[in-house]
Amino acid sequence: MPLSDDQPHTRTRLPVAEQTTPVTGRQARPLRTLLAILGVVTLLVIAVSIANRDKAVPGRTPAASSGDRANGGTAPAADHTAASGQQPVTTTANGIATGYPHTEQGAQSAAANYAVALGSTDMFRPDTRHTVLATLADPTVLPALQARMDQAFSPETVARYGLDAQGKAPKGQLFVSRIVPVGTRTTNSADTATKVDVWCTGLYGLAGDDSSLPVTQDWYTLTITMRWTGSDWKLTDYSRAAGPAPLPGDNQAATAKEIADAVQQFGGFRYAR
């Protein structure tokens, strides 16, 4: 029977948990956003789990990258400045690394280490200079190369570095000549001969309180020409060109004592391509 206007209405209030409220567009958007975030997180967790599983299983090789697949399953070739992963040589002669492999990488390693030897303080003293050249040079060119170096490091030349005719520094001062190869590149390669450019930075000068020639930095490119002698790469010729040099930084110059201490306390490296 229909209720009349003068009859009281009865309202039933459901518990809060049972009330049904239409989902509006404003309420649906946060829900969709939350679901999207949860989906992305889930995918990331799955990807990390797969990667860790491949690394954790002994003897299992991780899946090849697209670059590997494009090269038939082999890793992309290293560029001219990247480390090859090959171990440096372990043999030395007169303190200079020798016994390089008959490869392009071996030639670049030889050139870098030969550049260090050719820029060392040993080259300023006649006796040690001849030892360095005998270690590096091809025996067929050694006499001519030695005569050329003796002329380049004449008493007049070494005097410009503040040294005496025997290449010795004044008392109380330390002569610094150290080369650091920055990179190498092969410019002409053959089975029995090769030419390698070594980009270098170097330190030269006298470290001492009364020095008139403080230690300064230099940048240059040394071109090393070598020949394969059957057991090692040997030097046959060299040339030097200035630069490329970067802009100088804002570093505060060290004192003469700090430079001298650093040169004596920090050893050099053996370089490998």
Side-chain angles (χ1 to χ4, degrees):
M1 175 171 154
L3 297 176
S4 62
D5 294 337
D6 56 353
Q7 290 178 319
H9 294 276
T10 302
R11 295 183 179 180
T12 304
R13 182 178 296 274
L14 296 174
V16 174
E18 297 180 10
Q19 294 182 24
T20 58
T21 305
V23 179
T24 64
R26 182 174 297 177
Q27 293 172 320
R29 280 194 295 271
L31 180 60
R32 287 196 297 268
T33 301
L34 178 60
L35 291 176
I37 292 174
L38 290 175
V40 171
V41 172
T42 301
L43 291 175
L44 288 175
V45 171
I46 294 174
V48 171
S49 299
I50 294 174
N52 290 337
R53 181 188 60 189
D54 288 341
K55 293 179 181 179
V57 179
R60 181 171 183 173
T61 302
S65 65
S66 59
D68 294 340
R69 290 191 294 270
N71 289 308
T74 59
D79 60 30
H80 287 294
T81 57
S84 67
Q86 298 294 326
Q87 294 295 320
V89 295
T90 57
T91 54
T92 61
N94 299 314
I96 302 172
T98 58
Y100 300 92
H102 188 198
T103 61
E104 181 179 355
Q105 293 176 1
Q108 291 189 18
S109 296
N113 286 288
Y114 292 174
V116 172
L118 291 172
S120 67
T121 56
D122 289 339
M123 295 298 293
F124 290 81
R125 299 192 295 270
D127 54 344
T128 54
R129 177 168 65 248
H130 295 169
T131 300
V132 169
L133 293 177
T135 305
L136 304 184
D138 186 314
T140 62
V141 303
L142 178 58
L145 193 60
Q146 182 170 297
R148 177 183 170 189
M149 289 292 194
D150 286 343
Q151 183 178 5
F153 291 91
S154 65
E156 293 77 17
T157 300
V158 297
R160 292 200 293 267
Y161 290 88
L163 309 176
D164 63 16
Q166 298 305 313
K168 295 181 179 180
K171 185 178 180 179
Q173 298 187 9
L174 175 69
F175 177 58
V176 178
S177 180
R178 181 176 292 194
I179 304 304
V180 180
V182 179
T184 60
R185 65 178 179 183
T186 303
T187 58
N188 185 16
S189 179
D191 185 56
T192 57
T194 188
K195 185 178 290 186
V196 178
D197 285 345
V198 185
W199 184 27
C200 304
T201 183
L203 302 175
Y204 304 95
L206 289 171
D209 293 336
D210 299 326
S211 173
S212 59
L213 299 168
V215 178
T216 58
Q217 186 181 25
D218 187 22
W219 289 85
Y220 64 91
T221 299
L222 194 65
T223 299
I224 304 288
T225 304
M226 296 174 293
R227 178 183 300 150
W228 180 254
T229 62
S231 59
D232 204 356
W233 291 105
K234 290 296 183 179
L235 177 72
T236 59
D237 197 7
Y238 78 98
S239 62
R240 170 174 166 158
L247 289 172
D250 295 330
N251 304 89
Q252 182 178 353
T255 64
K257 184 180 185 305
E258 289 173 334
I259 290 293
D261 289 345
V263 170
Q264 293 174 323
Q265 295 171 7
F266 290 86
F269 291 98
R270 182 175 298 167
Y271 294 89
R273 168 68 171 84

